[in-house]
């Protein structure tokens, strides 16, 4: 026989979960709370805007992580957040900056994040899709044409001026090392950006013959040892970005792309045009990318040789989609432990 109290709890949790699910289409369970190690600096993060002379992020010891949030990749984002918190020594010193489309209801995403991560320090930043949609050219995969995919170029405009550095992460990553190690990489020689780079990749393939056959364009890389890097994992000095007006530089290349086809692949090529050959290289362990396969078929891939600090399912195939379809790749099993998706029935049983 069922007890009345159990049924009441069941239906209450069901209704709350259903209310969020009706809006975002997914339900997520609450993640464990993680605490700082004794060696972590003690910082106080406040959301009290009346304290005008107080840095709301505590101090320079805070680690800032930026991500985009949308309904399509929300399940991946939740797993990425959990992985960051689980593997860092100082989880209470991390502040997440989530960029969302201005057309997405802020309250629903905020409630979703706060429900799964009640102790998370975070803020949401609406991104005006119209501000960039006119600059976007169609690419080889429609998912790459989403305006929010270009928000990484506008972080310096969106985030508060007191945030001087940020780690940008795509939603299809799992971090298995301390994110503070990546965050604190030395941006030597006044470099703006740090990322793993891959000089063995065929760099010419990222641009069209129109680009390479035009001397006034191809000269862009004449004085640089340009190498491919993946923009899904980057450390950015926002002060240097702002001072150098790098958003405008990226937009200039996007405007040219509208007039003449110089690349095929979404938001990546403008970054390469501006930064390739002029970044601080980071150990490859911080972006074991390509686990989603190519942009057409999303076939399974193996890890690159060497140690792993971050797994990245860049490419067409996403681990949650392949797991749901019962067609997972072997490495998707490494993503599954961070999946917070659950059913309302499971939520009621856990309450």
């Amino acid at each position: 026989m069922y007890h009345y109290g159990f049924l009441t709890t069941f239906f209450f949790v069901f209704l709350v979960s259903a209310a969020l699910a009706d809006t975002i289409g997914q339900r997520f369970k609450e993640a464990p709370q993680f605490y700082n190690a004794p060696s972590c600096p003690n910082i106080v993060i406040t959301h009290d805007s009346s304290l005008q002379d107080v840095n709301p992020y505590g101090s320079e010891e805070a680690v800032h992580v930026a991500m985009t949030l949308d309904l399509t990749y929300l399940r991946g984002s939740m797993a990425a957040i959990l992985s960051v918190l689980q593997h860092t020594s100082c989880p209470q010193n991390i502040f997440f900056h989530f960029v969302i489309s201005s057309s997405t209801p802020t309250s629903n995403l905020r409630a979703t994040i706060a429900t799964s991560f009640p102790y998370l320090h975070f803020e949401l930043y609406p991104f005006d899709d119209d501000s960039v949609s006119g600059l976007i050219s169609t690419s080889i995969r429609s998912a790459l044409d989403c305006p929010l995919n270009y928000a990484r170029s506008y972080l310096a405009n969106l985030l508060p001026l007191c945030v001087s550095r940020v780690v940008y992460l795509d939603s299809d990553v799992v971090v298995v090392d301390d994110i503070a190690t990546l965050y604190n990489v030395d941006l030597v020689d006044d470099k703006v950006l740090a990322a793993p780079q891959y000089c063995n990749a065929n760099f010419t393939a990222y641009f069209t013959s129109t680009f390479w056959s035009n001397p006034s364009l191809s000269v862009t890389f004449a004085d640089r040892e340009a190498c491919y890097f993946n923009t899904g994992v980057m450390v950015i000095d926002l002060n240097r970005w702002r001072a150098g007006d790098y958003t405008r530089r990226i937009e200039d290349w996007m405007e040219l792309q509208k007039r003449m086809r110089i690349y095929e692949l979404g938001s990546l090529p403008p970054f390469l045009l501006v930064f390739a050959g002029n970044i601080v290289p980071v150990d490859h362990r911080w972006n074991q990318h390509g686990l989603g396969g190519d942009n057409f078929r999303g076939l399974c891939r193996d890890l690159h040789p060497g140690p792993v600090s971050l797994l990245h399912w860049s490419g067409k195939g996403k681990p949650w989609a392949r797991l749901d379809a019962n067609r997972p790749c072997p490495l998707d099993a490494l993503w599954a432990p961070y999946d917070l998706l659950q059913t309302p029935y499971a939520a009621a049983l856990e309450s």
Side-chain angles (χ1 to χ4, degrees):
M1 179 181 293
Y2 291 107
H3 293 288
Y4 177 77
F6 172 81
L7 289 174
T8 301
T9 301
F10 176 90
F11 284 113
F12 175 76
V13 175
F14 177 86
L15 290 173
V16 171
S17 299
L20 282 175
D22 285 344
T23 305
I24 66 172
Q26 302 166 93
R27 301 180 181 92
F28 300 96
K29 61 186 176 182
E30 182 176 334
Q33 184 178 3
F34 300 96
Y35 298 92
N36 283 355
S39 59
C40 294
N42 184 23
I43 67 174
V44 178
I45 297 178
T46 177
H47 299 277
D48 188 350
S49 58
S50 66
L51 302 176
Q52 300 296 329
D53 297 327
V54 176
N55 183 340
Y57 308 111
S59 72
E60 292 298 321
E61 301 291 343
V63 172
H64 297 277
V65 178
M67 301 175 66
T68 59
L69 287 184
D70 68 358
L71 301 184
T72 303
Y73 291 98
L74 183 59
R75 187 173 170 187
S77 302
M78 300 292 275
I81 297 166
L82 175 59
S83 73
V84 169
L85 297 174
Q86 183 170 323
H87 293 286
T88 185
S89 297
C90 306
Q92 293 172 290
N93 293 358
I94 295 181
F95 199 103
F96 282 88
H97 304 267
F98 298 123
V99 181
I100 66 172
S101 169
S102 57
S103 61
T104 301
T106 302
S107 58
N108 297 323
L109 277 178
R110 185 180 296 278
T112 299
I113 298 296
T115 299
S116 289
F117 301 99
Y119 305 99
L120 191 70
H121 302 299
F122 73 95
E123 189 52 79
L124 301 181
Y125 304 86
F127 177 66
D128 184 6
D129 295 350
D130 294 336
S131 67
V132 71
S133 57
L135 295 172
I136 297 175
S137 302
T138 55
S139 63
I140 62 174
R141 184 157 60 94
S142 59
L144 301 177
D145 301 336
C146 171
L148 199 60
N149 197 41
Y150 291 79
R152 70 196 78 192
S153 303
Y154 295 87
L155 292 176
N157 300 342
L158 294 168
L159 272 57
L161 292 176
C162 59
V163 178
S164 60
R165 175 181 290 216
V166 71
V167 173
Y168 174 82
L169 298 177
D170 271 352
S171 297
D172 51 1
V173 307
V174 161
V175 180
V176 294
D177 203 341
D178 195 332
I179 193 70
T181 303
L182 178 61
Y183 181 83
N184 289 313
V185 66
D186 188 5
L187 286 168
V188 297
D189 300 327
D190 293 327
K191 293 289 195 299
V192 176
L193 190 150
Q197 65 177 9
Y198 306 88
C199 294
N200 292 329
N202 181 10
F203 189 80
T204 59
Y206 292 95
F207 303 95
T208 65
S209 58
T210 299
F211 175 86
W212 293 114
S213 63
N214 188 325
S216 64
L217 297 177
S218 59
V219 73
T220 301
F221 299 113
D223 298 324
R224 294 191 255 164
E225 294 183 14
C227 297
Y228 159 76
F229 66 92
N230 183 284
T231 55
V233 181
M234 300 183 289
V235 183
I236 304 172
D237 187 304
L238 296 176
N239 288 340
R240 294 173 187 172
W241 182 292
R242 295 170 182 127
D245 200 9
Y246 283 96
T247 296
R248 180 193 56 78
R249 299 188 194 190
I250 289 174
E251 287 180 337
D252 286 346
W253 284 111
M254 294 174 66
E255 290 174 353
L256 179 61
Q257 165 76 351
K258 297 289 287 187
R259 300 195 299 270
M260 54 192 300
R261 194 79 172 178
I262 59 174
Y263 55 80
E264 303 288 352
L265 193 63
S267 62
L268 169 64
F271 263 87
L272 296 179
L273 287 161
V274 174
F275 290 108
N278 195 30
I279 71 172
V280 173
V282 175
D283 193 298
H284 289 178
R285 68 189 301 155
W286 282 103
N287 196 349
Q288 285 273 352
H289 67 289
L291 303 185
D294 58 41
N295 282 301
F296 298 100
R297 292 181 293 172
L299 300 178
C300 298
R301 289 184 177 175
D302 294 327
L303 288 173
H304 306 290
V308 179
S309 292
L310 183 147
L311 299 157
H312 187 185
W313 279 264
S314 57
K316 183 178 181 180
K318 302 305 174 189
W320 55 90
R322 295 192 295 217
L323 287 164
D324 286 352
N326 290 319
R327 294 196 301 270
C329 293
L331 291 176
D332 294 346
L334 300 177
W335 181 89
Y338 302 95
D339 187 10
L340 290 174
L341 190 72
Q342 72 168 11
T343 64
Y345 179 71
L349 292 179
E350 289 181 2
S351 63

